[in-house]
Amino acid sequence: MRLSVVQPLQWDRGAWRRGLSVGVNAELRNNKGVDYYKTTTYMWRDQWQKTEVETGKIANADYLDMSYMLSGYLLRRKSERDIETRLGLSWAIQYRHTPMLDDLGSCKAVSLSLYVPGIGRHHTLSATLSMQKKKMPEYDYSEVGQYVSSYMGDAISMSRGYDKVPNIGMRTLKFNYTMPLFCPDWSVGGLLYLKRVWSRLFCDVSRVDVFTPMSVYLMQYNSVGGEVYFDTHWLRLPFPMTIGCRVAYADYYRDVSAKMLFSVKF
């Protein structure tokens, strides 16, 4: 059973958009087992080389999952060719916990984003600083081995190009340079309409507190890369569909990865 209440407030004046949003989410769950993470880390010459992550279930759990969110923004209005706002800031605060029944820990997070104009017309340079901290639940996890993360998932995202890492704390700094490439306004009958092609260059830094039964290790995961997106409409539907591809170089693993991206705006 789940109940969500969100109250957005918006004040627009002239070239600026201002907004504030407050939200509360409550979910009563009866799960047959709680997720845990079990890791095996290989070391060579005192260097972290590889971490294998397994998931499993610990025990039956009845719990009330509560989360609270407060966010706001002050953004300059976008033109038709802008991908992102070219000037402004946004912020968000989030807290999640299980106040009754079984204690599965808590997670608090905060983020701040700043937008400034780029070099060219319709270009945007943005920076986002995010931090989160988790509180571990009080359980005996000897039966499942190396337990390194609570039930709480991440409220912020890792550096692009990496999978999620079980943690009790994380700080990330992300830079994005977003720019349109061209607007072909090209159509194939009633099948496809290609409105715009745009790209984003990025550089991410994540410092993660990885927990093991022996200690807490501070790890850093950096990445650089680029993304290309196609804004389209299919079958004359009014909903814009964005299809993209991301190529990222993960400095920690010295590896290049590619990923397809897809989103629909209703």
Side-chain angles (χ1 to χ4, degrees), residues 106-108 131-137 147-150 152-154 165-171 207-212 215-217:
S106 63
C107 179
K108 49 189 176 182
M131 295 177 286
Q132 75 175 21
K133 183 68 175 179
K134 297 180 184 178
K135 175 182 174 294
M136 300 294 290
Y147 180 84
V148 298
S149 179
S150 68
M152 299 295 162
D154 291 328
V165 176
N167 67 88
I168 59 171
M170 179 163 53
R171 282 79 57 200
R207 295 174 67 86
V208 182
D209 299 322
V210 180
F211 175 81
T212 73
S215 182
V216 175
Y217 296 91

Side-chain angles (χ1 to χ4, degrees), residues 114-125:
L114 177 66
Y115 304 87
V116 297
I119 299 175
R121 296 184 62 186
H122 313 295
H123 293 200
T124 301
L125 174 64

Side-chain angles (χ1 to χ4, degrees), residues 35-39 51-55 96 107 132 134 148-170 172 174 206 208-211 219 221 246 250 252-253 259:
D35 292 337
Y36 72 90
Y37 294 94
K38 178 181 178 183
T39 67
T51 300
E52 295 182 353
V53 180
E54 301 176 8
T55 61
R96 183 183 178 194
C107 179
Q132 75 175 21
K134 297 180 184 178
V148 298
S149 179
S150 68
Y151 155 80
M152 299 295 162
D154 291 328
I156 64 177
S157 59
M158 273 278 295
S159 296
R160 282 160 282 195
Y162 294 91
D163 294 328
K164 291 183 178 180
V165 176
N167 67 88
I168 59 171
M170 179 163 53
T172 67
K174 297 186 175 184
S206 296
V208 182
D209 299 322
V210 180
F211 175 81
M219 309 296 294
Y221 300 92
R246 173 190 297 156
Y252 183 80
Y253 296 116
K259 183 178 182 179

Side-chain angles (χ1 to χ4, degrees), residues 66-83:
M66 295 287 300
S67 60
Y68 318 91
M69 183 270 294
L70 177 65
S71 64
Y73 60 86
L74 173 62
L75 304 173
R76 188 173 180 84
R77 291 181 183 273
K78 298 190 302 181
S79 71
E80 183 64 25
R81 290 183 178 270
D82 291 339
I83 308 300

Side-chain angles (χ1 to χ4, degrees), residues 5-36:
V5 178
V6 180
Q7 179 58 61
L9 302 172
Q10 186 170 326
W11 304 272
D12 294 345
R13 185 177 180 181
W16 293 91
R17 301 175 57 242
R18 303 169 178 86
L20 184 68
S21 180
V22 180
V24 178
N25 180 79
E27 187 170 1
L28 182 61
R29 296 186 178 185
N30 184 347
N31 277 11
K32 295 181 179 179
V34 177
D35 292 337
Y36 72 90

